[in-house]
Amino acid sequence: MPGFPPVEPVGFDPSIPNEARVYDYWLGGKNNFAADRKAAEMALQIAPELPIMCREGRKFMRRTVRFLAEAGIRQFVDIGCGLPTQGNVHEIAQRYAPDARVVYVDYDPVVVNHGQALVEDDERVVVIHGDVRDPDGLFAHPRLRGLVDLDEPVAVLLVGLLSTINDDDLTLAITRRLRQVITPGSYIVISHAVSDIRPEVTDKLSLLFANEWAAKDDGRTRLPTRAEIPRLFGDLELVEPGLVLLPDWRPEPGRLRPPKNTVWSVGGVGRKA
């Protein structure tokens, strides 16, 4: 397995747009700064459906967590958790499995601080600073190891996170390593934006994000296609209905579907046999 690149420590700089805070703005939150709002509005000029995408991503996450809790999973690791909002992973998991334990991981110190304040009274939930680009360091974190037994099944959530990494080889290496870390009976949840549903939009957005977040740009100016996403699951067994558009993953009965082509992100849940 190729080695992972060194990960630079992340400081707090409100003058640089941040994915979690831009996402927060699209969801109507207030934990964002002028640079985040500027980048968010520029993106909305290209793709006004982005708030719909964000909401559907949250709904997908909640449905997968419910499925996993009902399937017997009691350990969850939410990587790239983002700023706290309603219906967080621990709230959904503990609704169906009160003994569920959740580790939230984010590389942004602002996100970590907000999250720690939210869950400080729940001994079954921790928020840690970590980076998915260093999966070994992340899973060696003492607070994660204090709550999660890697010899028992665990669910690893990568909801929207891999779309922010501009290196397809790196995302493959990350998911390969995560599959090695988890024990049989574990699951990995992945959602990922794709380029071939609205290519004229995603091409423009990729260039915009590369320019706005130049410090994180490493050359990719195109999202992967839908056909390229299954390789992220490797040899995991995809549970029904497989890899589908987010609104199509086990939708709740009677729920209204978003307008056509407003969601160009796919998701699935893979189980390690």
Side-chain angles (χ1 to χ4, degrees), residues 168 172 194-195 222-232 243:
D168 294 331
L172 284 171
V194 294
S195 62
R222 181 190 65 83
L223 287 167
T225 66
R226 188 171 178 173
E228 293 172 305
I229 302 302
R231 59 183 181 169
L232 296 174
L243 184 70

Side-chain angles (χ1 to χ4, degrees), residues 16-17 19 107 133 164-166 209-210 213-219:
I16 298 175
E19 290 98 333
Y107 83 107
R133 294 170 297 174
T164 69
I165 298 176
N166 296 329
F209 292 154
W213 295 328
K216 295 189 65 179
D217 176 42
D218 42 24

Side-chain angles (χ1 to χ4, degrees), residues 50-156:
L50 284 168
I52 296 175
M53 291 264 293
C54 293
R55 290 193 293 270
E56 290 299 322
R58 296 293 298 180
K59 292 175 184 177
F60 167 77
M61 178 275 290
R62 293 165 189 155
R63 295 195 303 275
T64 60
V65 170
R66 175 180 178 176
F67 161 78
L68 293 164
E70 292 179 337
I73 295 296
R74 297 296 180 265
Q75 305 184 118
F76 296 81
V77 180
D78 182 9
I79 308 178
C81 57
L83 287 159
T85 184
Q86 292 183 341
N88 295 295
V89 170
H90 74 282
E91 295 167 330
I92 305 301
Q94 292 174 359
R95 182 183 306 166
Y96 299 98
D99 58 337
R101 305 184 302 281
V102 178
V103 177
Y104 291 107
V105 183
D106 208 281
Y107 83 107
D108 184 338
V110 174
V111 170
V112 174
N113 289 338
H114 276 273
Q116 289 173 339
L118 178 71
V119 303
E120 60 183 353
D121 296 327
D122 191 335
E123 62 183 12
R124 296 162 301 174
V125 185
V126 298
V127 185
I128 66 172
H129 184 270
D131 197 310
V132 74
R133 294 170 297 174
D134 178 18
D136 290 324
L138 191 162
F139 276 89
H141 194 291
R143 297 193 71 199
L144 183 149
R145 298 303 292 267
L147 200 64
V148 170
D149 181 355
L150 292 177
D151 292 326
E152 297 293 329
V154 60
V156 178

